[in-house]
Amino acid sequence: MSAEPVLAGIADEAAQDLAGQVAVLAELGWSHLELRTVDGRAVADLDDDEFAVVAKDLAAQGVRVVCLASRIGGWARPISTPFEDDLAELDVLLRRCAALGTRYVRIMSYPNAGLSERRWRDRVITRVSMLAELAEAAGVVLLHENCSGWAGTSAERALDLLDAVDNPALKLLFDTGNGVAHGYDGYALLREVVAHVEHVHVKDASGDRFVLPGSGDARVADCVELLRANGYRGAWSLEPHVSLRPHESGALGPDAASAFVAAGRAMAGLVR
């Protein structure tokens, strides 16, 4: 009998406050959280005292953090952004990984800002190589997501990034729904990169709308089957976007918690 899968969630899509995030996990019967924001603020922006309270509360509730979601290389940090911003954020997050017993930090690969393709690629690889060296020294793995940036929507580029950086502290995060949202075939991308995937976000979409996992066009069940067939043993982390799309208003709908629970139950049905 295989081990029960680890089900987790980016629960700031259910509640801004930590108590609400933990409560929605408890309703689902889950004990793993992917931590992105608390009270609307990124994990790296909490001061040390505020973070200590978060860590203590999570430990008291028996909740483990599977990954910290960073803004490094993300949609709001194009390649023109000062690299110091990312180095500073990673420095904080590496310390917070140690405090939480967390091994993973999510990153992206920098949207372009007017550079030629070659200069864009080279600058991304230089930055990610430096970040990966820092992560490796701290015993942390950076997970590049198929989302914003140079390697976000192309299997060929994602594999090029891994090859060029050549560091075991850089692996891939596959998000099941990003292909539909960004206009590419996510399942086809997964087929090419599946051997390098260490973490999975589960969402689904139909056209320009996010929907319950398994009810849209992202072939979530097929992605799960492909990952399992290739030996995937990592967490399945719910990021449904049904009540929150982080780079839009940031406001939660009144039904955010119940929508998250519904999406969580749909995900559990697909991966259990």
Side-chain angles (χ1 to χ4, degrees):
M1 182 73 184
S2 61
E4 194 61 11
V6 173
L7 306 184
I10 304 180
D12 62 1
E13 297 200 9
Q16 288 203 333
D17 64 300
L18 189 67
Q21 294 183 33
V22 170
V24 82
L25 293 179
E27 188 171 347
L28 284 162
W30 302 354
S31 56
H32 293 80
L33 175 68
E34 182 163 342
L35 194 58
R36 181 168 59 196
T37 66
V38 177
D39 297 326
R41 295 164 63 211
V43 184
D45 291 349
L46 304 174
D47 68 31
D48 287 346
D49 290 341
E50 291 167 331
F51 174 74
V53 172
V54 168
K56 182 179 175 186
D57 287 352
L58 290 172
Q61 301 278 351
V63 173
R64 300 212 46 189
V65 176
V66 294
C67 181
L68 296 179
S70 83
R71 296 160 294 183
I72 294 167
W75 59 271
R77 290 201 191 157
I79 197 64
S80 55
T81 307
F83 189 38
E84 291 72 23
D85 295 358
D86 293 324
L87 292 171
E89 179 161 359
L90 185 63
D91 182 61
V92 173
L93 292 179
L94 292 177
R95 285 186 275 115
R96 294 188 172 173
C97 280
L100 293 166
T102 299
R103 188 160 170 251
Y104 294 123
V105 171
R106 186 278 306 273
I107 68 165
M108 295 179 199
S109 56
Y110 301 96
N112 203 359
L115 298 181
S116 69
E117 287 287 320
R118 186 76 204 178
R119 287 184 63 218
W120 183 22
R121 172 194 180 274
D122 290 350
R123 196 171 293 183
V124 166
I125 287 166
T126 298
R127 288 188 175 197
V128 176
S129 295
M130 290 179 64
L131 295 165
E133 285 175 16
L134 294 167
E136 185 185 27
V140 169
V141 174
L142 303 181
L143 299 169
H144 175 270
E145 183 177 353
N146 55 313
C147 190
S148 296
W150 175 76
T153 62
S154 160
E156 183 182 3
R157 287 184 178 185
L159 294 171
D160 184 17
L161 180 67
L162 290 174
D163 189 52
V165 172
D166 191 24
N167 189 316
L170 178 67
K171 299 289 185 185
L172 299 182
L173 186 166
F174 178 71
D175 185 301
T176 62
N178 280 351
V180 177
H182 293 274
Y184 65 92
D185 185 334
Y187 182 78
L189 182 144
L190 177 61
R191 277 205 313 262
E192 300 296 318
V193 305
V194 65
H196 305 280
V197 172
E198 284 220 7
H199 189 63
V200 172
H201 284 172
V202 176
K203 69 164 67 77
D204 204 346
S206 181
D208 61 357
R209 234 167 25 93
F210 290 98
V211 296
L212 293 181
S215 68
D217 301 325
R219 299 181 63 181
V220 178
D222 291 341
C223 290
V224 171
E225 185 179 349
L226 178 60
L227 284 154
R228 286 241 165 89
N230 281 270
Y232 180 72
R233 298 285 179 270
W236 306 90
S237 187
L238 179 70
E239 189 193 19
H241 280 9
V242 287
S243 287
L244 170 72
R245 295 176 68 171
H247 26 89
E248 292 179 7
S249 71
L252 290 175
D255 63 341
S258 59
F260 190 90
V261 169
R265 289 184 176 139
M267 180 181 89
L270 292 167
V271 304
R272 277 196 168 131

